[in-house]
Amino acid sequence: MTVILLLLILILAVYMLCSRDLLHGIIALSAISLLSALLFYLLHAPDVAITEAAVGAGVSTVVFVWAIRLTERKDCDV
Amino acid sequence: MSNPTSWRVRLQILGACVAVTVVLLPLFLMDNDWPVAGRDYLEARGREDTGAINLVSAIYLGYRAFDTLGETIVLLVAVSGTIGIAARAGGAGLAMGYGASDNSARRSGAGAVRDQKMGDGEIFALPDEKRKTHALRTHLLEVVTGKLGPVVLVFGLYVMLYGHLSPGGGFQGGVVIASGIVFLALGSRADSRTGLNKASTLACIEAAAFLLLILVPLSGMFFVGPNGTRGFFANPIAELDVLPAGFIILLNAVIGLKVGAGIGFMCVAMLGKEEKA
């Protein structure tokens, strides 16, 4: 189970780095946070799981989406 | 493959691999046992020393409360800096309070009925005339977040107040409360407004909680605790048999209110900017 979760996190992280649509990247980042929260819970660290779910999936997503709204959604080559 | 971009990507991948190796290799090569002295001490003494069943709370509010004060100050500075930068980048609107500037902008716009009695509370629901252009902001979002918000707030209060018994604590509960505030702000309609979206309310809660966080530990300097200890962050009620974890509960509540109000204020202020852009 742990290995499956870690593999999913790895795949999502690579997708997040490669995606040109930054909003998709943020959703992937949020999903990574949720999966890591599940991972922490399975590893008997419920305190860390609550923090990860609330901060990673909740607050930081709001901050990133706000930043995208004020800048641009699509990535572009420098 | 003489493209400079591909070389840059390869160099980045190589750098990442080297960094991971440098961090992880000592862990695999190490043949020492993990240190167990602190763990065993906490398992044996933590509960009777602090009264908290949750040993994480016992550490960060019982043994290491002064570090927690430092973390709280770090968070306070981070929130202040974010608001300050956002206010400077977006003009004076945020600095005056996001409610005030939005009200004037909206009053001068196409008049909706609800604008007449608007205080400094903020409504983040999309006006009807903008519904056609914003296809992703459906009514579904507002209904779900509006109904879910109070539940999340209650859950945050539970996590905050029962941090000494169950997983959680001040920081965790505070962040959950901040999520609840964001939910309420997203789901607020014209006819259902909450005072939790007001900048002034959130700022007052945060300031009062921080003042309490400074004042409450000072009480330890005037009451003699167990073993004759006294000083900043000493537990003045540790010898009472009624509620030995009362000091931890109090600190958890204060920290939770401070963190929730601070992060909620930051997020709600950012949402207000988003609506204007």
Side-chain angles (χ1 to χ4, degrees):
Chain A
M1 188 67 186
T2 311
V3 176
I4 300 174
L5 278 177
L6 283 173
L7 278 179
L8 271 176
I9 288 174
L10 197 64
I11 293 170
L12 277 171
V14 170
Y15 172 74
M16 182 206 71
L17 283 175
C18 297
S19 69
R20 310 295 274 179
D21 192 332
L22 294 180
L23 192 60
H24 294 179
I26 290 175
I27 302 296
L29 198 61
S30 177
I32 289 175
S33 287
L34 275 182
L35 287 178
S36 353
L38 192 58
L39 186 67
F40 291 142
Y41 181 73
L42 289 176
L43 295 177
H44 303 288
D47 294 85
V48 191
I50 291 178
T51 315
E52 180 68 42
V55 174
V59 174
S60 71
T61 308
V62 171
V63 173
F64 281 137
V65 169
W66 173 74
I68 276 193
R69 277 297 175 90
L70 291 189
T71 51
E72 286 187 12
R73 182 170 162 179
K74 297 286 179 188
D75 191 13
C76 60
D77 287 325
V78 180
Chain B
M1 277 296 171
S2 61
N3 193 0
T5 316
S6 74
W7 279 111
R8 196 183 298 163
V9 169
R10 281 184 193 182
L11 206 63
Q12 283 173 354
I13 293 175
L14 190 70
C17 289
V18 168
V20 168
T21 313
V22 165
V23 171
L24 288 185
L25 204 57
L27 286 181
F28 289 116
L29 293 180
M30 182 179 70
D31 54 354
N32 292 345
D33 290 332
W34 291 98
V36 293
R39 187 193 69 189
D40 291 342
Y41 176 81
L42 277 173
E43 199 175 353
R45 296 289 310 278
R47 186 170 169 188
E48 57 181 297
D49 274 355
T50 63
I53 294 176
N54 181 9
L55 282 180
V56 179
S57 287
I59 294 172
Y60 84 88
L61 285 179
Y63 293 107
R64 290 277 179 268
F66 196 69
D67 299 358
T68 307
L69 178 69
E71 289 175 25
T72 316
I73 292 177
V74 166
L75 192 74
L76 179 73
V77 171
V79 170
S80 315
T82 311
I83 296 291
I85 290 175
R88 180 158 300 189
L94 251 178
M96 287 157 43
Y98 48 88
S101 61
D102 260 21
N103 282 347
S104 57
R106 212 170 264 175
R107 277 209 192 93
S108 62
V113 185
R114 62 161 182 268
D115 285 351
Q116 293 168 358
K117 283 186 179 176
M118 199 189 266
D120 61 341
E122 183 58 30
I123 295 175
F124 296 98
L126 210 58
D128 283 336
E129 61 266 18
K130 286 172 82 176
R131 290 260 172 215
K132 288 171 187 132
T133 52
H134 293 62
L136 287 177
R137 279 293 296 270
T138 58
H139 285 288
L140 198 62
L141 177 82
E142 283 152 24
V143 171
V144 170
T145 52
K147 297 284 184 288
L148 216 54
V151 182
V152 175
L153 272 184
V154 170
F155 177 67
L157 282 176
Y158 166 76
V159 169
M160 181 177 93
L161 290 178
Y162 282 76
H164 61 296
L165 296 178
S166 57
F171 279 103
Q172 291 90 336
V175 180
V176 175
I177 286 176
S179 308
I181 290 176
V182 171
F183 274 17
L184 281 181
L186 276 178
S188 62
R189 310 287 295 269
D191 47 352
S192 67
R193 206 166 342 126
T194 141
L196 276 180
N197 305 346
K198 292 180 188 169
S200 51
T201 314
L202 288 176
C204 275
I205 292 178
E206 187 183 9
F210 190 66
L211 185 66
L212 270 179
L213 190 60
I214 301 291
L215 286 183
V216 166
L218 280 179
S219 68
M221 302 178 85
F222 303 108
F223 299 97
V224 179
N227 313 322
T229 55
R230 95 166 45 178
F232 199 52
F233 268 112
N235 187 348
I237 53 174
E239 286 189 327
L240 294 182
D241 288 336
V242 193
L243 196 57
F247 198 58
I248 288 185
I249 297 176
L250 187 61
L251 284 179
N252 258 339
V254 170
I255 290 174
L257 282 181
K258 195 209 157 299
V259 170
I263 296 184
F265 176 49
M266 192 175 76
C267 290
V268 171
M270 286 175 168
L271 286 174
K273 295 291 292 178
E274 174 201 327
E275 287 295 323
K276 270 198 296 185

